[in-house]
Amino acid sequence: MKDRNHLSDVSLTHKVSVIDKGLVDIPMLQILQPDGTPHADAQLPELDQDAVLKIYRTMRFIRVLDERMVAAQRQGRISFYLASTGEEAASVASAAALEPQDMIMSQYREQGALAYRGYSTEAFMNQMFSNEKDPNKGRQMPIHYGDKALNFMTISSPLGTQIPQASGYAYGQKMAGQPAVTICYFGEGAASEGDFHAGLNMAAVLHCPVIFFCRNNGYAISTPAEEQFAGDGIASRGLGYGIKTIRVDGNDAFAVYAATKQAREIALAENCPVLIEAMSYRLAAHSTSDDPTGYRSKDEEARWQAKDPIQRLGNWLLSKGWLDEEQDGKDVEQMRQDVLNELKRVEKVPVCAIDDIIEDVYDTPPWHLKEQLDELKQHISQYPDAYPKTSGRL
Amino acid sequence: MAKMNLLQAINNALILAMTENEKVMVFGEDVGHFGGVFRATSNLQEKFGKARCFNTPLTEQGIMGFANGLASQGSVPVAEIQFGDYIFPAFDQIVNETAKWRYRSGGQFSVGTLTIRTPYGGGIAGGLYHSQSPEAYFAHTPGLKIVVPRNPYQAKGLLLASIRDDNPVLFMEPKRLYRASVGEVPEEDYELPLGKADIVREGSDISLLAWGAQMEIMEKAAELADKAGISCEIIDLRSILPWDVETVCQSVVKTGRLLISHEAPQTGGFASEIAATVQERCFLNLESPIARVCGLDTPYPLAHEKEYMPDHLKVFEAIKRTVNY
């Protein structure tokens, strides 16, 4: 049996030595300045015009979708919505740096990654309207997307639970010999959950090819980051777990892309986790159930609006001559029209038949679920007017 | 056939499952080279390598989160929680994640390949945190299966069935019997059905229902009842969720009386669920109130363990009260 020496890497000191967080500097990678001008010494990622335009247009689409669906929730057409305004670069540009076989496990504010993978407007709508075409069969709240074909794991509400799950998923990919990694998104608030600690430690110890991608947007609902942690953000924790770590400007699509690209290469080549902390700002309300005017100032929001990730990449595209401002305006108008048309069409699709209520609890419904369904159907048929969504299709 | 104790039967089942399917992976605290604190995973790392049988950091929520991810990827995880008492940090992962994975994704994703093994139960001077029987907490969770074997033969057959079942299974092992229960176990592969109770012995005056280590107690109580001229039918429930209502009700229709016994505290224990269901279905056949002989509604004590436990004497007294009602 091998002898262990857990002191082997420890150096000696002969005075009390206090290590302060100020001693370790974790800089933030920024390639484009807020106005879209590249830093002189920054290296632009190798992306051709089509590739950058795909990132840009996906961000644009998500902004349009978010605006439209927040309005739809206000009108009472859907029960809930959660926008990603201001954070589009974090999800879209990171997804752009992945391969289609990589698994995405997200928190809930990463609709950009799903759109980048090709999730259609109709598919977004089906989920949000909980109709019979929703892959979740109408069981989960709006924005809890999932798509097996796109390698996008179905979202769940409990925060941070996907973090150790991503470690396990990545371990399975490694064992199956797949040239693939798992990316796991979460906010800085979720990083306070025990599952963050569990997931990162396990990934490091068990050599899992997983990218932990933290969106540090300054707030967890009303709780500002300074009431969430006292250390140097989330990035500083990665080092404590022995995890390679990068901090990026989350509003700079090029920085997010470059960091994720490199993280993927490291994770795959070295079978190890990489932590990315993307610094951003949640310009949106937490959700349609939240009003941020109760806990932050308009001035603060305005300062961050000036750092808008879409504007920033748009300015760079304009400077390259890769984007026509007038055409861009028309494109956005068309996106708005398409989203609205799809919304009007999809909101008329009925919900699943009542039989679906007991499916997928198990692989096949056991006796007690079948009995409960039979009783329920009998009850609905007795009071059809009280259950209009399902009584016509018993 | 070979003589095995309950641990050897579990170890034997794990070896068969890992040999048959290279996607089967066994992990948890101390399960690696050391072979587990009870030695249930002895030699697995030597046989199948460190990538398939490995130690994890000491984090139950991490073990279950990792297991969920691994199962959803298509691997077949058999995760160990060292004591049932320490499963609660993983409660969120099991209840909110494992159990709801298939339902919430509309069947797109599943963790059906997952099996969670954990030792449970008292009688070993384990005090508050090495004695608990947490099955009722999980029985309230749609999407899970819960299985409890009573002897080595049952343990091997039920564990193999659990690992191969396409639903997440919580497999609870009666640790008091790990070495105490020895019996003949076929060396070849076999499965016992999940969701099916087992009639251990037929009788006509009263049905006695229990599971796991409590089965031994029921048999001892039935022997005392025999001498008192009372004929007991003994049923091992084996699966807590879903449970075999048909076998239990058939027995109660025949005997007209039911006694349910478990080590876990009485209030909110699984006996309540069974009693309510049998009362609904067998109302006209019942000749006395359904009896429950359970642990007290206290934490599991150390010095008063013997007094706390629903032993054969308490069961015997309840049998007499029920029959003489």
PDB file of all heavy atoms in Angstrom, chain A residues 84-116:
ATOM      1  N   SER A  84     -33.510  37.239 -19.559  1.00  0.00           N
ATOM      2  CA  SER A  84     -32.041  37.192 -19.373  1.00  0.00           C
ATOM      3  C   SER A  84     -31.393  38.483 -19.854  1.00  0.00           C
ATOM      4  O   SER A  84     -30.209  38.491 -20.185  1.00  0.00           O
ATOM      5  CB  SER A  84     -31.468  35.989 -20.122  1.00  0.00           C
ATOM      6  OG  SER A  84     -31.707  36.125 -21.517  1.00  0.00           O
ATOM      7  N   THR A  85     -32.156  39.556 -19.861  1.00  0.00           N
ATOM      8  CA  THR A  85     -31.684  40.829 -20.393  1.00  0.00           C
ATOM      9  C   THR A  85     -30.365  41.268 -19.739  1.00  0.00           C
ATOM     10  O   THR A  85     -30.266  41.295 -18.511  1.00  0.00           O
ATOM     11  CB  THR A  85     -32.760  41.921 -20.177  1.00  0.00           C
ATOM     12  OG1 THR A  85     -34.010  41.381 -20.592  1.00  0.00           O
ATOM     13  CG2 THR A  85     -32.434  43.174 -20.977  1.00  0.00           C
ATOM     14  N   GLY A  86     -29.394  41.597 -20.563  1.00  0.00           N
ATOM     15  CA  GLY A  86     -28.089  42.024 -20.072  1.00  0.00           C
ATOM     16  C   GLY A  86     -27.101  40.878 -19.972  1.00  0.00           C
ATOM     17  O   GLY A  86     -25.891  41.093 -19.856  1.00  0.00           O
ATOM     18  N   GLU A  87     -27.607  39.638 -19.999  1.00  0.00           N
ATOM     19  CA  GLU A  87     -26.718  38.477 -19.830  1.00  0.00           C
ATOM     20  C   GLU A  87     -26.700  37.589 -21.069  1.00  0.00           C
ATOM     21  O   GLU A  87     -26.288  36.436 -20.996  1.00  0.00           O
ATOM     22  CB  GLU A  87     -27.173  37.659 -18.616  1.00  0.00           C
ATOM     23  CG  GLU A  87     -27.136  38.459 -17.327  1.00  0.00           C
ATOM     24  CD  GLU A  87     -27.606  37.631 -16.148  1.00  0.00           C
ATOM     25  OE1 GLU A  87     -26.928  36.654 -15.817  1.00  0.00           O
ATOM     26  OE2 GLU A  87     -28.661  37.968 -15.573  1.00  0.00           O
ATOM     27  N   GLU A  88     -27.136  38.131 -22.186  1.00  0.00           N
ATOM     28  CA  GLU A  88     -27.241  37.298 -23.390  1.00  0.00           C
ATOM     29  C   GLU A  88     -25.878  36.781 -23.854  1.00  0.00           C
ATOM     30  O   GLU A  88     -25.760  35.649 -24.340  1.00  0.00           O
ATOM     31  CB  GLU A  88     -27.907  38.071 -24.532  1.00  0.00           C
ATOM     32  CG  GLU A  88     -29.372  38.439 -24.276  1.00  0.00           C
ATOM     33  CD  GLU A  88     -29.548  39.794 -23.603  1.00  0.00           C
ATOM     34  OE1 GLU A  88     -28.560  40.340 -23.057  1.00  0.00           O
ATOM     35  OE2 GLU A  88     -30.678  40.318 -23.631  1.00  0.00           O
ATOM     36  N   ALA A  89     -24.832  37.600 -23.691  1.00  0.00           N
ATOM     37  CA  ALA A  89     -23.507  37.169 -24.165  1.00  0.00           C
ATOM     38  C   ALA A  89     -23.011  35.960 -23.372  1.00  0.00           C
ATOM     39  O   ALA A  89     -22.373  35.060 -23.924  1.00  0.00           O
ATOM     40  CB  ALA A  89     -22.506  38.317 -24.062  1.00  0.00           C
ATOM     41  N   ALA A  90     -23.321  35.959 -22.074  1.00  0.00           N
ATOM     42  CA  ALA A  90     -22.810  34.881 -21.212  1.00  0.00           C
ATOM     43  C   ALA A  90     -23.298  33.516 -21.710  1.00  0.00           C
ATOM     44  O   ALA A  90     -22.506  32.577 -21.849  1.00  0.00           O
ATOM     45  CB  ALA A  90     -23.253  35.115 -19.775  1.00  0.00           C
ATOM     46  N   SER A  91     -24.591  33.416 -22.009  1.00  0.00           N
ATOM     47  CA  SER A  91     -25.113  32.109 -22.415  1.00  0.00           C
ATOM     48  C   SER A  91     -24.845  31.818 -23.887  1.00  0.00           C
ATOM     49  O   SER A  91     -24.437  30.713 -24.245  1.00  0.00           O
ATOM     50  CB  SER A  91     -26.608  32.011 -22.107  1.00  0.00           C
ATOM     51  OG  SER A  91     -27.329  33.017 -22.772  1.00  0.00           O
ATOM     52  N   VAL A  92     -25.030  32.815 -24.755  1.00  0.00           N
ATOM     53  CA  VAL A  92     -24.917  32.550 -26.196  1.00  0.00           C
ATOM     54  C   VAL A  92     -23.459  32.305 -26.601  1.00  0.00           C
ATOM     55  O   VAL A  92     -23.144  31.310 -27.278  1.00  0.00           O
ATOM     56  CB  VAL A  92     -25.507  33.717 -27.023  1.00  0.00           C
ATOM     57  CG1 VAL A  92     -25.256  33.489 -28.511  1.00  0.00           C
ATOM     58  CG2 VAL A  92     -26.997  33.864 -26.744  1.00  0.00           C
ATOM     59  N   ALA A  93     -22.553  33.179 -26.162  1.00  0.00           N
ATOM     60  CA  ALA A  93     -21.160  33.039 -26.612  1.00  0.00           C
ATOM     61  C   ALA A  93     -20.485  31.817 -25.996  1.00  0.00           C
ATOM     62  O   ALA A  93     -19.620  31.194 -26.621  1.00  0.00           O
ATOM     63  CB  ALA A  93     -20.375  34.309 -26.290  1.00  0.00           C
ATOM     64  N   SER A  94     -20.908  31.423 -24.791  1.00  0.00           N
ATOM     65  CA  SER A  94     -20.321  30.210 -24.217  1.00  0.00           C
ATOM     66  C   SER A  94     -20.821  28.984 -24.979  1.00  0.00           C
ATOM     67  O   SER A  94     -20.043  28.068 -25.278  1.00  0.00           O
ATOM     68  CB  SER A  94     -20.645  30.108 -22.722  1.00  0.00           C
ATOM     69  OG  SER A  94     -22.037  30.177 -22.500  1.00  0.00           O
ATOM     70  N   ALA A  95     -22.116  28.980 -25.318  1.00  0.00           N
ATOM     71  CA  ALA A  95     -22.652  27.850 -26.084  1.00  0.00           C
ATOM     72  C   ALA A  95     -21.975  27.760 -27.451  1.00  0.00           C
ATOM     73  O   ALA A  95     -21.758  26.658 -27.978  1.00  0.00           O
ATOM     74  CB  ALA A  95     -24.166  27.994 -26.246  1.00  0.00           C
ATOM     75  N   ALA A  96     -21.621  28.914 -28.006  1.00  0.00           N
ATOM     76  CA  ALA A  96     -20.969  28.931 -29.321  1.00  0.00           C
ATOM     77  C   ALA A  96     -19.590  28.270 -29.275  1.00  0.00           C
ATOM     78  O   ALA A  96     -19.099  27.769 -30.290  1.00  0.00           O
ATOM     79  CB  ALA A  96     -20.841  30.366 -29.823  1.00  0.00           C
ATOM     80  N   ALA A  97     -18.972  28.264 -28.110  1.00  0.00           N
ATOM     81  CA  ALA A  97     -17.626  27.682 -27.979  1.00  0.00           C
ATOM     82  C   ALA A  97     -17.682  26.174 -27.721  1.00  0.00           C
ATOM     83  O   ALA A  97     -16.650  25.521 -27.605  1.00  0.00           O
ATOM     84  CB  ALA A  97     -16.884  28.376 -26.836  1.00  0.00           C
ATOM     85  N   LEU A  98     -18.889  25.617 -27.640  1.00  0.00           N
ATOM     86  CA  LEU A  98     -19.034  24.181 -27.371  1.00  0.00           C
ATOM     87  C   LEU A  98     -19.271  23.410 -28.658  1.00  0.00           C
ATOM     88  O   LEU A  98     -19.489  23.991 -29.715  1.00  0.00           O
ATOM     89  CB  LEU A  98     -20.217  23.956 -26.420  1.00  0.00           C
ATOM     90  CG  LEU A  98     -20.173  24.672 -25.072  1.00  0.00           C
ATOM     91  CD1 LEU A  98     -21.482  24.466 -24.334  1.00  0.00           C
ATOM     92  CD2 LEU A  98     -18.987  24.180 -24.234  1.00  0.00           C
ATOM     93  N   GLU A  99     -19.276  22.096 -28.543  1.00  0.00           N
ATOM     94  CA  GLU A  99     -19.627  21.222 -29.666  1.00  0.00           C
ATOM     95  C   GLU A  99     -21.031  20.666 -29.389  1.00  0.00           C
ATOM     96  O   GLU A  99     -21.436  20.546 -28.230  1.00  0.00           O
ATOM     97  CB  GLU A  99     -18.620  20.077 -29.783  1.00  0.00           C
ATOM     98  CG  GLU A  99     -17.194  20.533 -30.120  1.00  0.00           C
ATOM     99  CD  GLU A  99     -17.089  21.221 -31.469  1.00  0.00           C
ATOM    100  OE1 GLU A  99     -17.833  20.833 -32.412  1.00  0.00           O
ATOM    101  OE2 GLU A  99     -16.278  22.160 -31.591  1.00  0.00           O
ATOM    102  N   PRO A 100     -21.747  20.290 -30.459  1.00  0.00           N
ATOM    103  CA  PRO A 100     -23.131  19.816 -30.262  1.00  0.00           C
ATOM    104  C   PRO A 100     -23.245  18.613 -29.321  1.00  0.00           C
ATOM    105  O   PRO A 100     -24.273  18.428 -28.673  1.00  0.00           O
ATOM    106  CB  PRO A 100     -23.582  19.424 -31.675  1.00  0.00           C
ATOM    107  CG  PRO A 100     -22.671  20.148 -32.597  1.00  0.00           C
ATOM    108  CD  PRO A 100     -21.363  20.317 -31.878  1.00  0.00           C
ATOM    109  N   GLN A 101     -22.187  17.788 -29.231  1.00  0.00           N
ATOM    110  CA  GLN A 101     -22.269  16.602 -28.372  1.00  0.00           C
ATOM    111  C   GLN A 101     -22.059  16.943 -26.890  1.00  0.00           C
ATOM    112  O   GLN A 101     -22.227  16.079 -26.029  1.00  0.00           O
ATOM    113  CB  GLN A 101     -21.258  15.523 -28.817  1.00  0.00           C
ATOM    114  CG  GLN A 101     -19.802  15.850 -28.561  1.00  0.00           C
ATOM    115  CD  GLN A 101     -19.125  16.553 -29.742  1.00  0.00           C
ATOM    116  OE1 GLN A 101     -19.790  17.204 -30.552  1.00  0.00           O
ATOM    117  NE2 GLN A 101     -17.809  16.419 -29.845  1.00  0.00           N
ATOM    118  N   ASP A 102     -21.677  18.167 -26.591  1.00  0.00           N
ATOM    119  CA  ASP A 102     -21.484  18.556 -25.186  1.00  0.00           C
ATOM    120  C   ASP A 102     -22.842  18.728 -24.506  1.00  0.00           C
ATOM    121  O   ASP A 102     -23.758  19.307 -25.077  1.00  0.00           O
ATOM    122  CB  ASP A 102     -20.704  19.876 -25.099  1.00  0.00           C
ATOM    123  CG  ASP A 102     -19.289  19.749 -25.654  1.00  0.00           C
ATOM    124  OD1 ASP A 102     -18.741  18.628 -25.631  1.00  0.00           O
ATOM    125  OD2 ASP A 102     -18.731  20.763 -26.116  1.00  0.00           O
ATOM    126  N   MET A 103     -22.948  18.231 -23.286  1.00  0.00           N
ATOM    127  CA  MET A 103     -24.208  18.365 -22.544  1.00  0.00           C
ATOM    128  C   MET A 103     -24.273  19.729 -21.877  1.00  0.00           C
ATOM    129  O   MET A 103     -23.282  20.199 -21.313  1.00  0.00           O
ATOM    130  CB  MET A 103     -24.305  17.244 -21.491  1.00  0.00           C
ATOM    131  CG  MET A 103     -25.471  17.369 -20.511  1.00  0.00           C
ATOM    132  SD  MET A 103     -27.116  17.593 -21.225  1.00  0.00           S
ATOM    133  CE  MET A 103     -27.435  15.980 -21.926  1.00  0.00           C
ATOM    134  N   ILE A 104     -25.431  20.352 -21.955  1.00  0.00           N
ATOM    135  CA  ILE A 104     -25.669  21.620 -21.257  1.00  0.00           C
ATOM    136  C   ILE A 104     -26.618  21.363 -20.089  1.00  0.00           C
ATOM    137  O   ILE A 104     -27.703  20.822 -20.266  1.00  0.00           O
ATOM    138  CB  ILE A 104     -26.294  22.676 -22.199  1.00  0.00           C
ATOM    139  CG1 ILE A 104     -25.329  23.019 -23.339  1.00  0.00           C
ATOM    140  CG2 ILE A 104     -26.682  23.933 -21.416  1.00  0.00           C
ATOM    141  CD1 ILE A 104     -25.900  23.975 -24.375  1.00  0.00           C
ATOM    142  N   MET A 105     -26.163  21.722 -18.879  1.00  0.00           N
ATOM    143  CA  MET A 105     -27.048  21.679 -17.714  1.00  0.00           C
ATOM    144  C   MET A 105     -27.155  23.111 -17.193  1.00  0.00           C
ATOM    145  O   MET A 105     -26.143  23.707 -16.814  1.00  0.00           O
ATOM    146  CB  MET A 105     -26.479  20.757 -16.647  1.00  0.00           C
ATOM    147  CG  MET A 105     -26.553  19.293 -17.033  1.00  0.00           C
ATOM    148  SD  MET A 105     -25.983  18.281 -15.658  1.00  0.00           S
ATOM    149  CE  MET A 105     -26.792  16.764 -15.989  1.00  0.00           C
ATOM    150  N   SER A 106     -28.348  23.640 -17.193  1.00  0.00           N
ATOM    151  CA  SER A 106     -28.457  25.063 -16.908  1.00  0.00           C
ATOM    152  C   SER A 106     -29.315  25.317 -15.679  1.00  0.00           C
ATOM    153  O   SER A 106     -29.952  24.413 -15.141  1.00  0.00           O
ATOM    154  CB  SER A 106     -29.015  25.790 -18.119  1.00  0.00           C
ATOM    155  OG  SER A 106     -30.382  25.513 -18.270  1.00  0.00           O
ATOM    156  N   GLN A 107     -29.308  26.579 -15.261  1.00  0.00           N
ATOM    157  CA  GLN A 107     -30.114  26.967 -14.087  1.00  0.00           C
ATOM    158  C   GLN A 107     -31.515  27.369 -14.525  1.00  0.00           C
ATOM    159  O   GLN A 107     -32.475  26.732 -14.153  1.00  0.00           O
ATOM    160  CB  GLN A 107     -29.430  28.115 -13.342  1.00  0.00           C
ATOM    161  CG  GLN A 107     -30.232  28.594 -12.141  1.00  0.00           C
ATOM    162  CD  GLN A 107     -29.421  29.466 -11.213  1.00  0.00           C
ATOM    163  OE1 GLN A 107     -28.364  29.068 -10.752  1.00  0.00           O
ATOM    164  NE2 GLN A 107     -29.882  30.669 -10.946  1.00  0.00           N
ATOM    165  N   TYR A 108     -31.626  28.447 -15.303  1.00  0.00           N
ATOM    166  CA  TYR A 108     -32.916  28.884 -15.889  1.00  0.00           C
ATOM    167  C   TYR A 108     -32.769  30.174 -16.685  1.00  0.00           C
ATOM    168  O   TYR A 108     -33.673  30.548 -17.403  1.00  0.00           O
ATOM    169  CB  TYR A 108     -34.019  29.038 -14.851  1.00  0.00           C
ATOM    170  CG  TYR A 108     -33.683  29.851 -13.599  1.00  0.00           C
ATOM    171  CD1 TYR A 108     -33.080  31.107 -13.697  1.00  0.00           C
ATOM    172  CD2 TYR A 108     -33.981  29.372 -12.325  1.00  0.00           C
ATOM    173  CE1 TYR A 108     -32.777  31.848 -12.565  1.00  0.00           C
ATOM    174  CE2 TYR A 108     -33.682  30.112 -11.185  1.00  0.00           C
ATOM    175  CZ  TYR A 108     -33.076  31.356 -11.319  1.00  0.00           C
ATOM    176  OH  TYR A 108     -32.783  32.079 -10.202  1.00  0.00           O
ATOM    177  N   ARG A 109     -31.603  30.866 -16.565  1.00  0.00           N
ATOM    178  CA  ARG A 109     -31.469  32.129 -17.277  1.00  0.00           C
ATOM    179  C   ARG A 109     -30.492  31.953 -18.449  1.00  0.00           C
ATOM    180  O   ARG A 109     -29.664  32.822 -18.722  1.00  0.00           O
ATOM    181  CB  ARG A 109     -30.971  33.223 -16.322  1.00  0.00           C
ATOM    182  CG  ARG A 109     -31.519  34.624 -16.652  1.00  0.00           C
ATOM    183  CD  ARG A 109     -30.981  35.682 -15.700  1.00  0.00           C
ATOM    184  NE  ARG A 109     -31.396  35.534 -14.319  1.00  0.00           N
ATOM    185  CZ  ARG A 109     -32.593  35.895 -13.848  1.00  0.00           C
ATOM    186  NH1 ARG A 109     -33.480  36.431 -14.658  1.00  0.00           N
ATOM    187  NH2 ARG A 109     -32.890  35.719 -12.576  1.00  0.00           N
ATOM    188  N   GLU A 110     -30.573  30.809 -19.090  1.00  0.00           N
ATOM    189  CA  GLU A 110     -29.627  30.515 -20.172  1.00  0.00           C
ATOM    190  C   GLU A 110     -30.351  30.116 -21.454  1.00  0.00           C
ATOM    191  O   GLU A 110     -29.886  29.286 -22.231  1.00  0.00           O
ATOM    192  CB  GLU A 110     -28.675  29.395 -19.742  1.00  0.00           C
ATOM    193  CG  GLU A 110     -27.767  29.769 -18.572  1.00  0.00           C
ATOM    194  CD  GLU A 110     -28.402  29.453 -17.224  1.00  0.00           C
ATOM    195  OE1 GLU A 110     -29.521  28.909 -17.191  1.00  0.00           O
ATOM    196  OE2 GLU A 110     -27.768  29.760 -16.190  1.00  0.00           O
ATOM    197  N   GLN A 111     -31.514  30.735 -21.690  1.00  0.00           N
ATOM    198  CA  GLN A 111     -32.259  30.440 -22.913  1.00  0.00           C
ATOM    199  C   GLN A 111     -31.427  30.735 -24.157  1.00  0.00           C
ATOM    200  O   GLN A 111     -31.670  30.163 -25.221  1.00  0.00           O
ATOM    201  CB  GLN A 111     -33.601  31.209 -22.961  1.00  0.00           C
ATOM    202  CG  GLN A 111     -33.539  32.700 -22.673  1.00  0.00           C
ATOM    203  CD  GLN A 111     -33.816  33.016 -21.219  1.00  0.00           C
ATOM    204  OE1 GLN A 111     -33.136  32.485 -20.352  1.00  0.00           O
ATOM    205  NE2 GLN A 111     -34.782  33.870 -20.945  1.00  0.00           N
ATOM    206  N   GLY A 112     -30.409  31.604 -24.003  1.00  0.00           N
ATOM    207  CA  GLY A 112     -29.537  31.923 -25.134  1.00  0.00           C
ATOM    208  C   GLY A 112     -28.772  30.697 -25.628  1.00  0.00           C
ATOM    209  O   GLY A 112     -28.576  30.517 -26.835  1.00  0.00           O
ATOM    210  N   ALA A 113     -28.338  29.860 -24.705  1.00  0.00           N
ATOM    211  CA  ALA A 113     -27.595  28.651 -25.093  1.00  0.00           C
ATOM    212  C   ALA A 113     -28.494  27.712 -25.884  1.00  0.00           C
ATOM    213  O   ALA A 113     -28.085  27.097 -26.867  1.00  0.00           O
ATOM    214  CB  ALA A 113     -27.056  27.946 -23.848  1.00  0.00           C
ATOM    215  N   LEU A 114     -29.740  27.625 -25.470  1.00  0.00           N
ATOM    216  CA  LEU A 114     -30.696  26.749 -26.139  1.00  0.00           C
ATOM    217  C   LEU A 114     -31.020  27.288 -27.536  1.00  0.00           C
ATOM    218  O   LEU A 114     -31.066  26.533 -28.516  1.00  0.00           O
ATOM    219  CB  LEU A 114     -31.960  26.661 -25.274  1.00  0.00           C
ATOM    220  CG  LEU A 114     -32.998  25.605 -25.596  1.00  0.00           C
ATOM    221  CD1 LEU A 114     -32.390  24.232 -25.757  1.00  0.00           C
ATOM    222  CD2 LEU A 114     -34.050  25.583 -24.499  1.00  0.00           C
ATOM    223  N   ALA A 115     -31.210  28.592 -27.620  1.00  0.00           N
ATOM    224  CA  ALA A 115     -31.492  29.202 -28.927  1.00  0.00           C
ATOM    225  C   ALA A 115     -30.300  29.003 -29.859  1.00  0.00           C
ATOM    226  O   ALA A 115     -30.474  28.718 -31.053  1.00  0.00           O
ATOM    227  CB  ALA A 115     -31.785  30.694 -28.757  1.00  0.00           C
ATOM    228  N   TYR A 116     -29.091  29.128 -29.305  1.00  0.00           N
ATOM    229  CA  TYR A 116     -27.902  28.942 -30.150  1.00  0.00           C
ATOM    230  C   TYR A 116     -27.863  27.521 -30.727  1.00  0.00           C
ATOM    231  O   TYR A 116     -27.448  27.307 -31.857  1.00  0.00           O
ATOM    232  CB  TYR A 116     -26.617  29.225 -29.358  1.00  0.00           C
ATOM    233  CG  TYR A 116     -25.408  29.185 -30.263  1.00  0.00           C
ATOM    234  CD1 TYR A 116     -24.985  30.325 -30.944  1.00  0.00           C
ATOM    235  CD2 TYR A 116     -24.711  27.991 -30.493  1.00  0.00           C
ATOM    236  CE1 TYR A 116     -23.921  30.291 -31.834  1.00  0.00           C
ATOM    237  CE2 TYR A 116     -23.646  27.941 -31.367  1.00  0.00           C
ATOM    238  CZ  TYR A 116     -23.260  29.089 -32.027  1.00  0.00           C
ATOM    239  OH  TYR A 116     -22.203  29.038 -32.917  1.00  0.00           O
TER     240      TYR A 116
END
